[in-house]
Amino acid sequence: MTSPASDGDARCLRATAPELGLGAFTDIPVPARVKVMGAMRVAPNATVAAWINQCVELCQPDGLYYCDGSEAERQELFAQGVKDGIFIKLNQEKLPGCFLHRSNTNDVARTEQCTFICTPNQDNAGPTNNWMESKAAYDKLRALYHGCMKGRTMYVVPFVMGPIGSPLAKVGIELTDSLYVAVNMSIMTRMGQVAWQQLGDDDQFTRCLHSVGDCNPDRRFICHFPFDNTIWSFGSGYGGNALLGKKCLALRIASFLGQQQGWLAEHMLLMGATNPQGQTTYVAAAFPSACGKTNFAMMIPPEQYRKAGWKITTLGDDIAWMWVDDQGKLRAINPEAGYFGVVPGTNFETNPNAMHCIARNTIYTNVALLPDGDVWWEGKTAKPPAECIDWTGQKWIVDCGRKAAHPNSRFTAPMINNPVLDQAANDPKGVVISAILFGGRRSSGIPLVFQAFNWVHGVYVGAVAGSETTAAASGAIGVVRRDPMAMLPFIGYNIRDYLTHWLRMGKRMSDAPRVFHVNWFRKGADGKFLWPGFGENMRVLEWIIARTHGHGSAHETPLGWMPGPGDINLDGLDFSTEQFQRAQALNTAELKEEVQGQGELFLKLGGDMPKELVFKREMFIGRI
Ligand code: OXD
Ligand code: MN
């Protein structure tokens, strides 16, 4: 029988294990003063039990809540969250199962300046990461964690990243004092007993310890210990800093594991495009944070494409894990089970599928609350509401000059809400990737689309990609920075070894994906976007798919292969040949500026830039 959820005296209840389908299991010997909650009070093995116990001793929570990932548990946690003021229940007729959370106003985005790779030697972390020597980092954070959960509950959140049974699926366990984090993790990952089952006797799991602490930016540390498969995060409850399965595990730790084990963990969306003949081509695309990955992954093609039988399906909107299969093909899975997307700008024009995703069972963070319990954000409707409560909880009236929703307000929605979820989203074998796209937000200089000459050139194009910074990370907005493979804040080891790993992966593939670069954000002299974007990106994608399958025409340019106006289908679009030429124009002065900007990265790496990429740059200079 399942033990009662709130029975604090009955600890280490063996009775739950057979129900969970677990054979061997281990008691978790927590001190008697700790109130034990949740249905699943066993660990799959002694290593897990000992680690949980150590963290309990360090953080000294009053309660320990074992998450099993069930629907009943989720309801219980939401109810508790409403009682504690962590969640506001939204209008359940309009938004069934939806809740609003307002974060601390100092805790609204990833804080790259507080994010560290902690290794014995600085060279392990390389020139693009903040580094702390591992022992010094453990000492510093241990002092912060000491007693930090007194009066609080520690949630034990076991989770799996990746479809169950996938060769790349990884188990993590997050111990957190944030109920908000625990419920978000139940949406973003395959969370609960499934993780105990996946782990069994294995001691290979990512040890994730998280405390919001006193949410003081001066005591905020997001520390990764790749050699110990460990993440310690203190002082923030924000998604990318606190939902440790996401950026911390699925990118920073996983990129390190991938380098050791021969696979890739990338900041990429995954999508399928099915043509009228029923052939599906899978594409992975790396764009930096808040540059439209979710919109592209859920794109609705223009009407004429839909009528002709084209269909877009989503595998993932943020992270891809990719490996070379025994046929020499690159395969990919999405390790996540939900979307943590940027809300502002999302509406029925820009992304109707996302609007369907967030219509139920969704957590909204830092959006505005309307008088009828609905939510609002800039760009949701053309006409703003007359009044609302803004993301900070203050009364807001139209034209008051403040934003109602934070520019980095977010939704957390389960992927099963997606009306165009790809049928392979849960397939442990993943899908074969035919094309890789790199891109960013560039107002000038970079054309709409070009194709790299080959894999090594593609690695170069990805490595030097730049993008204007966004509100997804704290700091200046709109400044071009080099963001190799959109992974600059997420590479968990030395970028020199990361780029070399990409080059080596190419050698293992018999039929490597074709590589492209796209820029939906180029602007004209009038400051307006040159390309209409959103669903019309299907036209660019159709050309990409054609090139991937060995047809589709293009001409050679200094950047790579580029389509002219006759090579891309512009039918039915109010877009002249001249407009297309402007979106694709190459200008020698701008290309020279670009190659100079790329030099930033080369300087950072000093002599460590892989020589294949040095040669590619020389050749690019020669072509300009
Ligand atoms: C994200 C990010 O939240 O990249 O996906 O910041
Ligand atoms: Mn992201």
Side-chain angles (χ1 to χ4, degrees):
M1 254 193 49
T2 307
S3 46
S6 57
D7 176 0
D9 294 326
R11 57 200 68 246
C12 310
L13 295 187
R14 289 163 183 274
T16 56
E19 284 173 19
L20 304 182
L22 295 169
F25 56 91
T26 308
D27 299 343
I28 304 174
V30 294
R33 58 167 185 76
V34 178
K35 179 176 173 184
V36 181
M37 294 164 276
M40 196 183 60
R41 302 177 185 187
V42 285
N45 62 59
T47 312
V48 172
W51 173 70
I52 294 176
N53 190 34
Q54 270 168 24
C55 294
V56 167
E57 291 199 338
L58 176 62
C59 301
Q60 300 170 20
D62 282 12
L64 196 59
Y65 190 114
Y66 294 93
C67 296
D68 67 0
S70 65
E71 189 45 40
E73 172 184 276
R74 204 190 329 261
Q75 293 316 322
E76 182 186 318
L77 291 176
F78 273 127
Q80 186 63 44
V82 170
K83 240 204 256 157
D84 296 348
I86 296 164
F87 288 120
I88 295 171
K89 194 170 193 167
L90 294 168
N91 181 328
Q92 295 297 297
E93 266 169 36
K94 287 190 162 176
L95 295 167
C98 294
F99 293 81
L100 167 65
H101 171 76
R102 294 195 189 112
S103 77
N104 191 313
T105 53
N106 75 29
D107 193 25
V108 292
R110 282 185 296 100
T111 42
E112 293 175 10
Q113 70 281 13
C114 309
T115 301
F116 293 84
I117 301 298
C118 306
T119 49
N121 187 317
Q122 185 158 11
D123 188 62
N124 303 136
T128 56
N129 282 308
N130 298 319
W131 173 75
M132 253 196 266
E133 190 275 320
S134 354
K135 184 171 174 315
Y138 279 128
D139 288 348
K140 189 180 198 98
L141 269 79
R142 202 173 284 114
L144 295 171
Y145 282 123
H146 189 255
C148 71
M149 296 190 192
K150 276 186 188 152
R152 299 184 187 178
T153 296
M154 175 190 270
Y155 296 88
V156 179
V157 184
F159 60 95
V160 183
M161 301 309 292
I164 304 302
S166 167
L168 288 192
K170 298 273 173 289
V171 174
I173 305 171
E174 178 161 356
L175 306 179
T176 174
D177 57 7
S178 164
L179 181 149
Y180 168 79
V181 166
V183 216
N184 270 274
M185 288 291 287
S186 77
I187 298 175
M188 292 305 296
T189 70
R190 292 153 176 96
M191 189 270 260
Q193 44 175 290
V194 71
W196 275 183
Q197 278 153 356
Q198 172 92 12
L199 188 62
D201 279 343
D202 202 345
D203 61 0
Q204 296 299 307
F205 63 95
T206 308
R207 290 146 176 79
C208 307
L209 180 58
H210 169 251
S211 173
V212 182
D214 56 357
C215 204
N216 179 340
D218 296 333
R219 280 192 291 275
R220 187 167 289 161
F221 295 94
I222 297 93
C223 289
H224 306 73
F225 302 85
F227 290 109
D228 305 338
N229 202 359
T230 291
I231 303 159
W232 280 14
S233 167
F234 189 90
S236 166
Y238 173 74
N241 293 338
L243 311 180
L244 300 185
K246 192 173 179 61
K247 302 301 181 180
C248 301
L249 192 166
L251 287 177
R252 298 194 190 96
I253 294 288
S255 61
F256 171 81
L257 294 175
Q259 194 247 1
Q260 306 272 301
Q261 300 164 0
W263 52 280
L264 290 166
E266 296 300 326
H267 192 202
M268 289 180 173
L269 68 88
L270 290 172
M271 74 199 297
T274 305
N275 69 11
Q277 292 70 47
Q279 180 190 25
T280 304
T281 303
Y282 286 101
V283 171
F287 310 152
S289 308
C291 287
K293 285 199 296 300
T294 308
N295 288 347
F296 191 55
M298 295 181 187
M299 172 173 68
I300 298 192
E303 194 182 354
Q304 73 199 82
Y305 279 83
R306 279 180 278 137
K307 279 199 176 139
W310 280 94
K311 214 172 75 193
I312 296 296
T313 45
T314 318
L315 265 112
D317 77 330
D318 196 41
I319 299 178
W321 287 356
M322 306 194 285
W323 72 102
V324 182
D325 68 12
D326 46 19
Q327 313 291 305
K329 303 231 188 248
L330 190 66
R331 300 193 80 91
I333 53 167
N334 168 18
E336 302 192 279
Y339 309 120
F340 182 67
V342 178
V343 183
T346 306
N347 59 49
F348 278 102
E349 298 253 298
T350 58
N351 193 340
N353 286 324
M355 292 300 281
H356 292 301
C357 284
I358 62 180
R360 59 187 195 281
N361 300 335
T362 293
I363 299 171
Y364 289 90
T365 301
N366 291 341
V367 299
L369 178 65
L370 292 170
D372 67 349
D374 197 352
V375 283
W376 191 80
W377 52 84
E378 278 69 19
K380 182 183 183 189
T381 50
K383 189 164 174 275
E387 64 177 83
C388 61
I389 306 290
D390 73 10
W391 69 277
T392 67
Q394 313 291 309
K395 190 172 156 99
W396 180 97
I397 48 169
V398 72
D399 298 333
C400 67
R402 298 195 320 271
K403 297 255 189 237
H406 187 274
N408 192 38
S409 50
R410 295 282 176 148
F411 58 76
T412 317
M415 72 175 181
I416 47 162
N417 281 5
N418 184 351
V420 294
L421 186 67
D422 192 273
Q423 56 178 9
N426 279 308
D427 188 342
K429 292 190 307 302
V431 296
V432 171
I433 297 299
S434 301
I436 291 178
L437 277 54
F438 294 111
R441 198 178 271 274
R442 298 296 298 273
S443 326
S444 62
I446 303 297
L448 177 64
V449 59
F450 64 89
Q451 180 183 359
F453 294 120
N454 50 41
W455 179 262
V456 176
H457 184 231
V459 174
Y460 170 78
V461 166
V464 298
S467 189
E468 288 150 25
T469 48
T470 67
S474 60
I477 295 177
V479 182
V480 175
R481 74 167 180 181
R482 297 294 136 186
D483 192 346
M485 276 73 174
M487 280 286 283
L488 182 69
F490 307 122
I491 302 170
Y493 59 105
N494 193 315
I495 186 173
R496 167 198 68 214
D497 302 328
Y498 170 80
L499 296 174
T500 305
H501 181 44
W502 262 85
L503 293 167
R504 287 197 184 136
M505 287 291 287
K507 295 201 179 119
R508 290 174 41 209
M509 287 180 246
S510 56
D511 183 18
R514 308 301 184 264
V515 182
F516 301 81
H517 188 282
V518 295
N519 175 26
W520 318 130
F521 299 96
R522 192 174 197 179
K523 290 180 178 168
D526 58 1
K528 294 203 176 120
F529 291 118
L530 288 173
W531 174 248
F534 301 108
E536 304 302 343
N537 293 340
M538 182 67 223
R539 298 168 188 276
V540 175
L541 185 61
E542 185 189 16
W543 177 79
I544 287 173
I545 290 169
R547 294 291 295 170
T548 295
H549 296 301
H551 37 92
S553 44
H555 57 278
E556 194 178 334
T557 75
L559 281 176
W561 295 102
M562 288 178 67
D567 303 322
I568 272 199
N569 178 5
L570 297 175
D571 288 353
L573 183 65
D574 182 15
F575 200 73
S576 65
T577 301
E578 292 69 37
Q579 281 174 294
F580 185 79
Q581 275 161 341
R582 271 202 294 281
Q584 284 289 76
L586 298 188
N587 165 313
T588 308
E590 285 178 332
L591 288 181
K592 281 185 181 160
E593 213 176 290
E594 173 60 15
V595 87
Q596 249 166 27
Q598 295 175 358
E600 259 172 55
L601 182 74
F602 282 73
L603 276 178
K604 258 200 185 141
L605 262 83
D608 280 341
M609 185 60 114
K611 61 173 182 316
E612 290 92 326
L613 303 186
V614 175
F615 293 150
K616 287 290 166 200
R617 182 159 181 263
E618 306 268 291
M619 287 162 79
F620 177 40
I621 294 170
R623 285 195 301 271
I624 298 178

